[in-house]
Amino acid sequence: MAVLKILVIDDEPGIRSGVSRILGSFHVTYPFMDEDYTFDVVEAGTGEDGIAYIEKELPDILLLDNKLPGMQGVEVLDYIRKRNYDIVVAMITSYASLDVAIRATRDGAIDFIPKPFTPQELKSSIENITKQLYLKRITHRMNQEGKKIRYQFLSVLSHELKAPLNALEGYLRMMQEKQAGDRIEDYATPIERSLQRIQGMRSLIMDLLDFTKIRLERKEEKVQEVNLRDVATDAIVTVQPYAIQMDVTVHLDSRSEAVVMADPDDMAIVFNNLVSNAVKYNKNGGRADITIDSSENEAIVIVADTGIGISKSDTENLFTEFVRIKNEKTRNITGSGLGLSIVKKVIELYHGTIKVESTPDLGSTFTIRIPKKQISIN
Ligand code: ADP
């Protein structure tokens, strides 16, 4: 239950007490709101008293009569607007002064309540105002949260790029100052580590490109029929050199035709990430099995590996940006921690789901389900 403070400025005591009585027991609720709204009404008989109240405590809503003994309603409105106070103002006016109401609307009043009004008319205006207020506040909150997330993202990203750069700088200085000897062979280890760091930065940048691509390059006209078997085959071809190096065999079992309406680039991002993880986090001599199947409405993709696995507690944050599991087994494996967060975003864009089941030391299975029918991805 949330309480909104309403200030009513009107020189007619009957109107003020009427508003207090009607709204005192009124509450507003909509299915999309997370709580009910009730109202706490305070009264002022003049514009001057109203402003004194506002200066003490900002109301959420102001019901403002225009014809007042001293300062006029539009002047009160002007006062509020100049100070940028976050108050929703509704004018209470008689039909005879509609022009005032229209001017007031231009000056920032969002509604006007014609006088005389029935309890029902007052309630429906308040209902409307509450809805607008709620939407305005929720939009503001979402913008603030979005900003915070963007800054967090940038700060982690800068850190992820700074660490390898520092390492590279260290190795180069070591060579410049000939700290390990005069021959190039004396620097085999720092050179190898530098190359690894460069490779790490490159894959981070590639992941970032995917990340921005799924956020910025949404184009409905790229959506077409995509046969997931073809995408899986491409992903396997791409990962093959790495699989050979890791001594991991990759199998594809395409049980039924799985065709979805999608941007093929998006599907490639999903398969490349899952298949390369199944190889990367595997063991020597291990297997990666990709199964493609479909039900009446969904395409189902299962990527299973016989690798190092993931503990139950680690699976919880797996799909969050920059999350990498740090333990003895992953110590020498490089990555950005972005891949699975990108995969999840893409899948959700297509109203699909992704889940993981894993047993440490035995392997992991990622299952994705994507609806086959065309959906809007914007
Ligand atoms: P990256 O591989 O770049 O670190 P991801 O977002 O693709 O980032 O994966 C996040 C983390 O999840 C990885 O660091 C790894 O610890 C774990 N992980 C992902 N896939 C697997 C897998 N198939 N088996 C075991 N662990 C995995």
Side-chain angles (χ1 to χ4, degrees):
M1 191 87 76
V3 182
L4 293 179
K5 183 144 277 192
I6 298 184
L7 169 63
V8 45
I9 306 181
D10 199 307
D11 58 338
E12 287 178 57
I15 296 269
R16 296 200 304 268
S17 61
V19 170
S20 294
R21 192 168 25 83
I22 297 164
L23 298 182
S25 57
F26 184 50
H27 67 104
V28 172
T29 179
Y30 280 97
F32 54 81
M33 289 177 176
D34 34 18
E35 51 190 349
D36 284 13
Y37 280 87
T38 57
F39 304 94
D40 177 13
V41 184
V42 287
E43 305 173 18
T46 63
E48 289 79 358
D49 283 354
I51 284 182
Y53 182 87
I54 290 171
E55 286 307 333
K56 251 193 358 244
E57 185 183 351
L58 279 195
D60 301 290
I61 300 169
L62 171 61
L63 301 182
L64 178 62
D65 182 18
N66 186 48
K67 268 180 107 219
L68 294 166
M71 192 180 187
Q72 295 299 288
V74 283
E75 291 172 79
V76 176
L77 187 59
D78 197 43
Y79 180 93
I80 291 170
R81 205 189 39 158
K82 285 208 174 104
R83 282 161 186 77
N84 248 330
Y85 287 156
D86 184 21
I87 306 173
V88 179
V89 184
M91 300 297 288
I92 311 175
T93 51
S94 60
Y95 275 112
S97 50
L98 264 186
D99 56 322
V100 174
I102 291 166
R103 219 177 67 218
T105 312
R106 268 204 313 263
D107 278 351
I110 70 157
D111 204 351
F112 68 90
I113 305 168
K115 239 186 340 190
F117 48 78
T118 64
Q120 197 42 48
E121 281 167 342
L122 176 65
K123 284 178 182 174
S124 59
S125 287
I126 292 296
E127 215 165 44
N128 204 15
I129 291 170
T130 306
K131 186 168 63 181
Q132 297 201 30
L133 196 74
Y134 173 81
L135 293 176
K136 194 170 128 200
R137 289 189 178 168
I138 205 99
T139 314
H140 179 73
R141 205 171 78 202
M142 274 164 30
N143 284 343
Q144 290 305 103
E145 281 169 7
K147 229 181 254 169
K148 197 166 136 213
I149 289 167
R150 279 199 291 278
Y151 282 123
Q152 269 169 358
F153 184 87
L154 282 179
S155 111
V156 178
L157 176 63
S158 328
H159 176 262
E160 290 297 307
L161 284 170
K162 207 172 100 195
L165 276 178
N166 284 346
L168 270 177
E169 192 179 10
Y171 293 136
L172 284 174
R173 284 213 187 290
M174 199 176 157
M175 290 186 238
Q176 189 184 39
E177 290 163 13
K178 299 196 171 145
Q179 288 176 12
D182 287 335
R183 298 169 314 142
I184 190 76
E185 295 78 27
D186 299 330
Y187 297 91
T189 309
I191 290 172
E192 182 53 36
R193 296 224 171 112
S194 299
L195 289 172
Q196 274 169 6
R197 292 301 206 156
I198 288 171
Q199 181 52 33
M201 281 196 279
R202 176 176 293 122
S203 69
L204 172 60
I205 289 165
M206 299 308 279
D207 283 348
L208 273 175
L209 286 175
D210 279 349
F211 198 77
T212 50
K213 194 152 60 184
I214 60 162
R215 275 166 186 261
L216 302 176
E217 287 184 18
R218 297 262 55 85
K219 288 208 180 66
E220 204 70 52
E221 57 278 14
K222 286 187 171 174
V223 173
Q224 53 189 265
E225 281 193 356
V226 181
N227 189 327
L228 296 185
R229 190 195 49 225
D230 299 339
V231 188
T233 309
D234 287 348
I236 293 171
V237 169
T238 310
V239 84
Q240 205 57 43
Y242 186 39
I244 292 170
Q245 193 187 328
M246 294 282 296
D247 191 20
V248 172
T249 37
V250 188
H251 290 272
L252 173 63
D253 179 5
S254 178
R255 294 191 183 158
S256 61
E257 195 81 335
V259 177
V260 294
M261 295 302 297
D263 176 344
D265 290 344
D266 284 345
M267 293 302 113
I269 288 175
V270 170
F271 277 79
N272 284 335
N273 273 294
L274 291 182
V275 176
S276 77
N277 277 352
V279 172
K280 186 159 89 168
Y281 297 102
N282 219 310
K283 298 177 198 143
N284 243 296
R287 278 175 68 101
D289 284 285
I290 300 136
T291 310
I292 295 185
D293 208 346
S294 67
S295 66
E296 193 188 335
N297 302 319
E298 290 176 323
I300 303 158
V301 179
I302 301 169
V303 181
D305 64 64
T306 57
I308 60 173
I310 307 159
S311 71
K312 187 123 199 75
S313 58
D314 282 332
T315 53
E316 273 156 34
N317 298 321
L318 212 58
F319 298 98
T320 308
E321 289 114 23
F322 298 113
V323 166
R324 304 205 68 225
I325 300 165
K326 295 204 169 72
N327 57 34
E328 222 10 69
K329 285 176 272 180
T330 58
R331 213 159 55 95
N332 293 321
I333 308 175
T334 57
S336 66
L338 276 175
L340 288 180
S341 73
I342 295 172
V343 168
K344 184 152 193 272
K345 284 200 180 64
V346 173
I347 303 284
E348 284 175 351
L349 206 59
Y350 290 91
H351 303 260
T353 57
I354 176 160
K355 68 180 179 63
V356 57
E357 277 163 45
S358 187
T359 313
D361 286 329
L362 285 184
S364 311
T365 302
F366 288 81
T367 306
I368 60 178
R369 292 170 177 274
I370 304 175
K372 284 178 179 173
K373 63 178 183 339
Q374 164 111 54
I375 42 97
S376 167
I377 58 163
N378 278 316

